[in-house]
Every structure is written in structure tokens, then in C-alpha cells.
Amino acid sequence: MSGDRTEALAARVRAGERRALAQAITLVESARVDHREQAEALMNALLPASGGAQRLGITGVPGVGKSTFIEAFGLHLIAAGHRVAVLAVDPSSQRSGGSILGDKTRMQELARAEAAFIRPSPAGTSLGGVARRTREALLVCEAAGFDVVIVETVGVGQSETAVADMVDIFVLLLQPGGGDELQGFKRGIMELADLFVVTKADGELTAAAARAAAEYRGALQFLRPPSPHWRPPVLTCSALAGQGMAEIWEAVVAHRKALEAAKTAGGDELTDKRARQAKTWLWREVNESLLVALRAHPAVAARLPALEAEVTAGSLSPTVAARRLLAAFLGTESGGEG
Ligand SMILES: Nc1nc2c(ncn2[C@@H]2O[C@H](COP(=O)(O)OP(=O)(O)OP(=O)(O)O)[C@@H](O)[C@H]2O)c(=O)[nH]1
Ligand SMILES: [Mg+2]
């Protein structure tokens, strides 16, 4: 694709053309080197048009009801006039090969809606790669005029941090089972969440869900909130009965207002948060690219097997071996021992 064609694709994305949007995301997700260059040009062209959406992250253990919730919540938002894009970061899809299609069928009604766009997670890449491309896909959706972008991830620590680093508000869905579940979460993940929602508050689970919510509220008092300007609420909902959707959106809006009302040197808390996130992604990108470059470097590749063997045999310390690899990479090897 030439520069002109990249610019033409960017223009079609900005005009909200669905096929262009899908094509743009495919380009951004591609691992091919020539595609990477085009994707970078595309992102440069789209970046000024991005930033306009409410960015929402959704997480929770498998089976908690994420897909069912997103379907109900998305339909609620569309009925209120929003345009909703749904993206997924799902490292487990490599394992099961599954949830990709599963999700599209579970979100059937939303998937058919003109004002919605659902993109299953790209499979077959490292978590770092998936998350990085999901962030770019999020920006593409914004440039295409979606004013709510939902990023879903399954409860695996690393992917949650990555998603929390790309959204304005991070929502943790919880089982109606009760407080025991809290023990199963790493404290770090609890501290990432801006909003807690107990799912399946319907039928015979209604009382259990209310009880669980009260327990979570109690437990949360001992956690550090993600922002000093916001105390994370605990709500309940039933995606099947379509209950609680309005309250959850109200909480999302209230959270945004709280961050925007907190004035800082950089403007406000929300602006600062997005700026911090962009910087985080810069360094994720540097980390990942550096590692790729390091592994591909001939002098490193030549020395790696022997150094690894020495380290595993216990005859060389990992620290010294790492320093030698780095020296090989940088071309600063001293010739003698060092
Ligand atoms: N009673 C009740 N059941 C629900 C509700 N939401 C989801 N479920 C059920 O919970 C099960 C799991 O729902 P999913 O939406 O697939 O959960 P998920 O979190 O997306 O699961 P994974 O994709 O496997 O991580 C399904 O059997 C749903 O029917 C709800 O509001 N009420
Ligand atoms: Mg699901």
C-alpha cells in the first residue's frame, strides 16, 4: 500500500466506513514487517482524530458474565444514542482457539446493530503484541467516530494491567457467590478497578448478589483507590434481565466527571491519566522492540547458547551473562574477560 492509499484508508476510517475500519484494524494487527510500516503511517494519520471516546475496560474470571454483560450494556448504550465498539484482549484464545467465535454468537444482537462494532481478539501473538495492537485498534475506533470503546479481557493478571493502561475506567465484574472470591484476586488487580459490578443479580441469586456487594464494599475500605478523587462503587446488575445498566453508565459518567473536575498542572486528572498511559505504552514499546532487536542481533545469537549453558550449569551468574549479551549487542565487548 502506498502512502496515498494509506491516506485514502485513513480518510475512509474517519468517515466512519465500516469496511475501512475492519481493514485498518487488520492492518494494525498484522505482524508482517511491510504491514507494520503502513500501520505506522495509518496511525500517524488517525491519531489527531482519536481521543474522543469514553474508554472502558471490562474484566472478570471466566464465566462471570462478561460477554452477556457487554451485549446488554452495549444495547443499552446504543438505545441511548451512543456508538459502541467492543475489542477483546484474550490471551486464552490461543489456548482454546474458542472464545473468539463464542463471543460473536453471545453478542449476536449487538453484533448486528448498525451503531456497534465488535472485534474479536487477534490470536497467535504474544500478550504484549495483542495488547499493543488492541490499543491501536482502540484509537482507530475512536477515529471512526465511536464514542464508547469497550475493551474486554479475561482474568489473567498481565493482560489486566495492559488493559487498565489503555482505558479511562476499569471495571471488575464479580460473581454473586460472595466475599471468598476476593481472596482469589491479586490485591494488585483489585486496586486497578474503578468500578465493581456483581453480576447475575436475578432469580434465586438476587439476595446472594446483594450480600456479596455488601461484603465487597466492606473489603474495599482496606484497599487503596486508584485515584484520590474517586472511591470505587460496588453495584449489582443482571444482564439477562437488563437491570442495572443505567446505574453502571451513570457511575462511568460520574467517574469521568470526578477526574475532569480534579484540576492539575497538566489540565485535569483525566488528561494526566491518558498522558501517563501514553508514556507507559512508549516504554512497553521500547522494551518489546529492544528485546526483539537484541534476540535478532548476530553477535548476541552467536554467544547466547554458550552463555545460557553456563548459566544453567551454575558456572556463570545471570547478571554477568546478561552484561556480556548486552555488550555483544552494543558492540562494546572488551575482548578480554569482563
Ligand atoms: N442468571 C444469570 N446468568 C447470567 C447472567 N449473565 C451471564 N450469565 C450466565 O453466565 C454464564 C457465563 O456468561 P458469559 O457471558 O459467557 O461469561 P464470560 O465472562 O464472558 O465468560 P468467558 O468468555 O468464558 O470468560 C452463561 O451461562 C450466562 O448465561 C445474568 O445476568 N444472570
Ligand atoms: Mg466471554
Side-chain angles (χ1 to χ4, degrees), residues 60-69 99 103 106 152 154 199-202 205 237-241:
V61 298
V64 70
K66 294 179 296 295
S67 303
T68 316
F69 170 76
S99 80
D103 266 357
R106 224 160 267 160
E152 176 193 355
V154 81
T199 56
K200 309 179 190 179
D202 49 43
L205 288 172
C237 83
S238 166
L240 286 190

mmCIF file of all heavy atoms in Angstrom, residues 60-69 99 103 106 152 154 199-202 205 237-241, ligand 1:
data_model
loop_
_atom_site.group_PDB
_atom_site.id
_atom_site.type_symbol
_atom_site.label_atom_id
_atom_site.label_comp_id
_atom_site.label_asym_id
_atom_site.label_seq_id
_atom_site.Cartn_x
_atom_site.Cartn_y
_atom_site.Cartn_z
ATOM 1 N N GLY A 60 -12.867 -9.888 34.506
ATOM 2 C CA GLY A 60 -13.528 -10.796 35.440
ATOM 3 C C GLY A 60 -13.197 -12.221 35.057
ATOM 4 O O GLY A 60 -12.851 -12.490 33.901
ATOM 5 N N VAL A 61 -13.316 -13.124 36.022
ATOM 6 C CA VAL A 61 -12.935 -14.517 35.771
ATOM 7 C C VAL A 61 -13.830 -15.136 34.693
ATOM 8 O O VAL A 61 -14.933 -14.634 34.439
ATOM 9 C CB VAL A 61 -13.039 -15.359 37.077
ATOM 10 C CG1 VAL A 61 -12.085 -14.829 38.125
ATOM 11 C CG2 VAL A 61 -14.472 -15.368 37.607
ATOM 12 N N PRO A 62 -13.348 -16.208 34.040
ATOM 13 C CA PRO A 62 -14.171 -16.874 33.026
ATOM 14 C C PRO A 62 -15.526 -17.274 33.615
ATOM 15 O O PRO A 62 -15.587 -17.786 34.725
ATOM 16 C CB PRO A 62 -13.353 -18.114 32.660
ATOM 17 C CG PRO A 62 -11.938 -17.754 32.984
ATOM 18 C CD PRO A 62 -12.016 -16.823 34.165
ATOM 19 N N GLY A 63 -16.602 -16.983 32.885
ATOM 20 C CA GLY A 63 -17.924 -17.385 33.335
ATOM 21 C C GLY A 63 -18.626 -16.375 34.212
ATOM 22 O O GLY A 63 -19.787 -16.553 34.576
ATOM 23 N N VAL A 64 -17.962 -15.272 34.551
ATOM 24 C CA VAL A 64 -18.590 -14.268 35.427
ATOM 25 C C VAL A 64 -19.722 -13.541 34.694
ATOM 26 O O VAL A 64 -20.622 -12.974 35.330
ATOM 27 C CB VAL A 64 -17.543 -13.265 35.968
ATOM 28 C CG1 VAL A 64 -17.030 -12.350 34.869
ATOM 29 C CG2 VAL A 64 -18.117 -12.432 37.113
ATOM 30 N N GLY A 65 -19.674 -13.579 33.359
ATOM 31 C CA GLY A 65 -20.749 -12.961 32.583
ATOM 32 C C GLY A 65 -20.320 -11.750 31.769
ATOM 33 O O GLY A 65 -21.141 -10.895 31.438
ATOM 34 N N LYS A 66 -19.049 -11.694 31.405
ATOM 35 C CA LYS A 66 -18.541 -10.533 30.657
ATOM 36 C C LYS A 66 -19.254 -10.347 29.328
ATOM 37 O O LYS A 66 -19.735 -9.260 29.012
ATOM 38 C CB LYS A 66 -17.022 -10.681 30.411
ATOM 39 C CG LYS A 66 -16.184 -10.644 31.675
ATOM 40 C CD LYS A 66 -14.707 -10.812 31.377
ATOM 41 C CE LYS A 66 -14.362 -12.162 30.785
ATOM 42 N NZ LYS A 66 -14.603 -13.301 31.698
ATOM 43 N N SER A 67 -19.318 -11.424 28.538
ATOM 44 C CA SER A 67 -19.899 -11.296 27.200
ATOM 45 C C SER A 67 -21.378 -10.932 27.286
ATOM 46 O O SER A 67 -21.854 -10.068 26.547
ATOM 47 C CB SER A 67 -19.726 -12.602 26.420
ATOM 48 O OG SER A 67 -18.357 -12.938 26.371
ATOM 49 N N THR A 68 -22.087 -11.604 28.183
ATOM 50 C CA THR A 68 -23.511 -11.332 28.353
ATOM 51 C C THR A 68 -23.715 -9.890 28.808
ATOM 52 O O THR A 68 -24.625 -9.187 28.344
ATOM 53 C CB THR A 68 -24.122 -12.308 29.380
ATOM 54 O OG1 THR A 68 -23.636 -13.620 29.115
ATOM 55 C CG2 THR A 68 -25.637 -12.319 29.307
ATOM 56 N N PHE A 69 -22.854 -9.429 29.706
ATOM 57 C CA PHE A 69 -22.938 -8.052 30.189
ATOM 58 C C PHE A 69 -22.684 -7.055 29.063
ATOM 59 O O PHE A 69 -23.434 -6.082 28.895
ATOM 60 C CB PHE A 69 -21.932 -7.821 31.326
ATOM 61 C CG PHE A 69 -21.805 -6.368 31.701
ATOM 62 C CD1 PHE A 69 -22.795 -5.750 32.453
ATOM 63 C CD2 PHE A 69 -20.734 -5.602 31.254
ATOM 64 C CE1 PHE A 69 -22.715 -4.398 32.774
ATOM 65 C CE2 PHE A 69 -20.637 -4.256 31.568
ATOM 66 C CZ PHE A 69 -21.626 -3.646 32.328
ATOM 67 N N SER A 99 -13.110 -18.751 22.378
ATOM 68 C CA SER A 99 -13.957 -17.624 22.749
ATOM 69 C C SER A 99 -14.162 -16.578 21.647
ATOM 70 O O SER A 99 -15.079 -15.781 21.709
ATOM 71 C CB SER A 99 -13.407 -16.957 23.995
ATOM 72 O OG SER A 99 -12.333 -16.120 23.644
ATOM 73 N N ASP A 103 -17.832 -15.509 21.470
ATOM 74 C CA ASP A 103 -18.253 -14.173 21.851
ATOM 75 C C ASP A 103 -19.156 -13.546 20.807
ATOM 76 O O ASP A 103 -20.105 -12.866 21.140
ATOM 77 C CB ASP A 103 -17.031 -13.273 22.075
ATOM 78 C CG ASP A 103 -16.647 -13.280 23.540
ATOM 79 O OD1 ASP A 103 -17.373 -13.924 24.312
ATOM 80 O OD2 ASP A 103 -15.645 -12.652 23.880
ATOM 81 N N ARG A 106 -22.441 -14.911 21.328
ATOM 82 C CA ARG A 106 -23.048 -14.451 22.574
ATOM 83 C C ARG A 106 -23.464 -12.986 22.467
ATOM 84 O O ARG A 106 -24.302 -12.515 23.223
ATOM 85 C CB ARG A 106 -22.055 -14.639 23.724
ATOM 86 C CG ARG A 106 -22.684 -15.223 24.948
ATOM 87 C CD ARG A 106 -21.634 -15.828 25.838
ATOM 88 N NE ARG A 106 -21.450 -17.247 25.580
ATOM 89 C CZ ARG A 106 -20.365 -17.917 25.920
ATOM 90 N NH1 ARG A 106 -19.356 -17.315 26.479
ATOM 91 N NH2 ARG A 106 -20.285 -19.199 25.684
ATOM 92 N N GLU A 152 -12.444 -5.767 26.450
ATOM 93 C CA GLU A 152 -12.706 -6.879 27.355
ATOM 94 C C GLU A 152 -11.446 -7.719 27.526
ATOM 95 O O GLU A 152 -10.715 -7.961 26.576
ATOM 96 C CB GLU A 152 -13.825 -7.759 26.766
ATOM 97 C CG GLU A 152 -14.101 -9.006 27.602
ATOM 98 C CD GLU A 152 -14.979 -10.032 26.883
ATOM 99 O OE1 GLU A 152 -15.452 -9.751 25.771
ATOM 100 O OE2 GLU A 152 -15.173 -11.114 27.444
ATOM 101 N N VAL A 154 -9.872 -11.288 29.857
ATOM 102 C CA VAL A 154 -10.197 -12.359 30.778
ATOM 103 C C VAL A 154 -9.220 -12.289 31.946
ATOM 104 O O VAL A 154 -8.144 -11.716 31.827
ATOM 105 C CB VAL A 154 -10.153 -13.719 30.038
ATOM 106 C CG1 VAL A 154 -8.737 -14.227 29.916
ATOM 107 C CG2 VAL A 154 -11.053 -14.734 30.714
ATOM 108 N N THR A 199 -22.437 -9.542 39.156
ATOM 109 C CA THR A 199 -23.303 -9.955 38.053
ATOM 110 C C THR A 199 -24.393 -10.925 38.529
ATOM 111 O O THR A 199 -24.372 -11.396 39.663
ATOM 112 C CB THR A 199 -22.474 -10.658 36.965
ATOM 113 O OG1 THR A 199 -21.777 -11.751 37.569
ATOM 114 C CG2 THR A 199 -21.463 -9.709 36.334
ATOM 115 N N LYS A 200 -25.300 -11.226 37.632
ATOM 116 C CA LYS A 200 -26.321 -12.279 37.811
ATOM 117 C C LYS A 200 -27.249 -12.040 38.995
ATOM 118 O O LYS A 200 -27.702 -12.985 39.650
ATOM 119 C CB LYS A 200 -25.650 -13.655 37.931
ATOM 120 C CG LYS A 200 -24.662 -13.936 36.790
ATOM 121 C CD LYS A 200 -23.979 -15.274 36.909
ATOM 122 C CE LYS A 200 -22.840 -15.361 35.895
ATOM 123 N NZ LYS A 200 -22.107 -16.614 35.943
ATOM 124 N N ALA A 201 -27.506 -10.752 39.312
ATOM 125 C CA ALA A 201 -28.408 -10.420 40.412
ATOM 126 C C ALA A 201 -29.849 -10.603 39.941
ATOM 127 O O ALA A 201 -30.580 -9.639 39.721
ATOM 128 C CB ALA A 201 -28.164 -8.990 40.890
ATOM 129 N N ASP A 202 -30.230 -11.853 39.755
ATOM 130 C CA ASP A 202 -31.607 -12.138 39.334
ATOM 131 C C ASP A 202 -32.035 -13.492 39.889
ATOM 132 O O ASP A 202 -31.205 -14.272 40.376
ATOM 133 C CB ASP A 202 -31.711 -12.119 37.792
ATOM 134 C CG ASP A 202 -30.623 -12.961 37.135
ATOM 135 O OD1 ASP A 202 -30.352 -14.082 37.609
ATOM 136 O OD2 ASP A 202 -30.021 -12.492 36.144
ATOM 137 N N LEU A 205 -30.478 -15.857 42.684
ATOM 138 C CA LEU A 205 -29.183 -15.272 43.039
ATOM 139 C C LEU A 205 -29.304 -13.824 43.521
ATOM 140 O O LEU A 205 -28.314 -13.211 43.930
ATOM 141 C CB LEU A 205 -28.237 -15.336 41.831
ATOM 142 C CG LEU A 205 -27.701 -16.730 41.481
ATOM 143 C CD1 LEU A 205 -26.946 -16.696 40.157
ATOM 144 C CD2 LEU A 205 -26.799 -17.242 42.609
ATOM 145 N N CYS A 237 -25.932 -6.048 39.002
ATOM 146 C CA CYS A 237 -26.691 -5.982 37.750
ATOM 147 C C CYS A 237 -27.160 -7.366 37.343
ATOM 148 O O CYS A 237 -26.662 -8.381 37.838
ATOM 149 C CB CYS A 237 -25.843 -5.377 36.633
ATOM 150 S SG CYS A 237 -24.745 -6.555 35.830
ATOM 151 N N SER A 238 -28.111 -7.393 36.458
ATOM 152 C CA SER A 238 -28.482 -8.630 35.783
ATOM 153 C C SER A 238 -28.514 -8.349 34.290
ATOM 154 O O SER A 238 -29.365 -7.597 33.810
ATOM 155 C CB SER A 238 -29.861 -9.125 36.236
ATOM 156 O OG SER A 238 -30.304 -10.124 35.328
ATOM 157 N N ALA A 239 -27.567 -8.929 33.592
ATOM 158 C CA ALA A 239 -27.510 -8.722 32.145
ATOM 159 C C ALA A 239 -28.698 -9.424 31.489
ATOM 160 O O ALA A 239 -29.269 -8.922 30.517
ATOM 161 C CB ALA A 239 -26.199 -9.242 31.589
ATOM 162 N N LEU A 240 -29.090 -10.562 32.049
ATOM 163 C CA LEU A 240 -30.202 -11.316 31.455
ATOM 164 C C LEU A 240 -31.512 -10.552 31.589
ATOM 165 O O LEU A 240 -32.325 -10.512 30.670
ATOM 166 C CB LEU A 240 -30.323 -12.704 32.097
ATOM 167 C CG LEU A 240 -29.262 -13.727 31.690
ATOM 168 C CD1 LEU A 240 -29.622 -15.120 32.205
ATOM 169 C CD2 LEU A 240 -29.067 -13.754 30.176
ATOM 170 N N ALA A 241 -31.714 -9.924 32.766
ATOM 171 C CA ALA A 241 -32.949 -9.158 32.985
ATOM 172 C C ALA A 241 -32.797 -7.717 32.503
ATOM 173 O O ALA A 241 -33.746 -6.938 32.542
ATOM 174 C CB ALA A 241 -33.315 -9.179 34.466
HETATM 175 N N1 LIG B 1 -28.675 -15.675 35.846
HETATM 176 C C1 LIG B 1 -27.813 -15.012 35.086
HETATM 177 N N2 LIG B 1 -26.881 -15.678 34.380
HETATM 178 C C2 LIG B 1 -26.017 -14.970 33.626
HETATM 179 C C3 LIG B 1 -26.074 -13.554 33.542
HETATM 180 N N3 LIG B 1 -25.083 -13.139 32.732
HETATM 181 C C4 LIG B 1 -24.431 -14.247 32.309
HETATM 182 N N4 LIG B 1 -24.999 -15.348 32.836
HETATM 183 C C5 LIG B 1 -24.609 -16.753 32.573
HETATM 184 O O1 LIG B 1 -23.282 -16.978 32.976
HETATM 185 C C6 LIG B 1 -22.597 -17.843 32.034
HETATM 186 C C7 LIG B 1 -21.336 -17.177 31.562
HETATM 187 O O2 LIG B 1 -21.643 -15.986 30.850
HETATM 188 P P1 LIG B 1 -20.632 -15.322 29.809
HETATM 189 O O3 LIG B 1 -21.199 -14.019 29.427
HETATM 190 O O4 LIG B 1 -20.291 -16.257 28.741
HETATM 191 O O5 LIG B 1 -19.349 -15.130 30.724
HETATM 192 P P2 LIG B 1 -17.889 -14.630 30.321
HETATM 193 O O6 LIG B 1 -17.367 -13.916 31.494
HETATM 194 O O7 LIG B 1 -17.923 -13.904 29.030
HETATM 195 O O8 LIG B 1 -17.122 -15.990 30.149
HETATM 196 P P3 LIG B 1 -15.742 -16.270 29.342
HETATM 197 O O9 LIG B 1 -15.904 -15.698 27.961
HETATM 198 O O10 LIG B 1 -15.639 -17.758 29.352
HETATM 199 O O11 LIG B 1 -14.630 -15.627 30.109
HETATM 200 C C8 LIG B 1 -23.605 -18.106 30.928
HETATM 201 O O12 LIG B 1 -24.181 -19.341 31.163
HETATM 202 C C9 LIG B 1 -24.619 -17.000 31.077
HETATM 203 O O13 LIG B 1 -25.886 -17.371 30.641
HETATM 204 C C10 LIG B 1 -27.094 -12.877 34.298
HETATM 205 O O14 LIG B 1 -27.248 -11.656 34.270
HETATM 206 N N5 LIG B 1 -27.932 -13.669 35.037
#
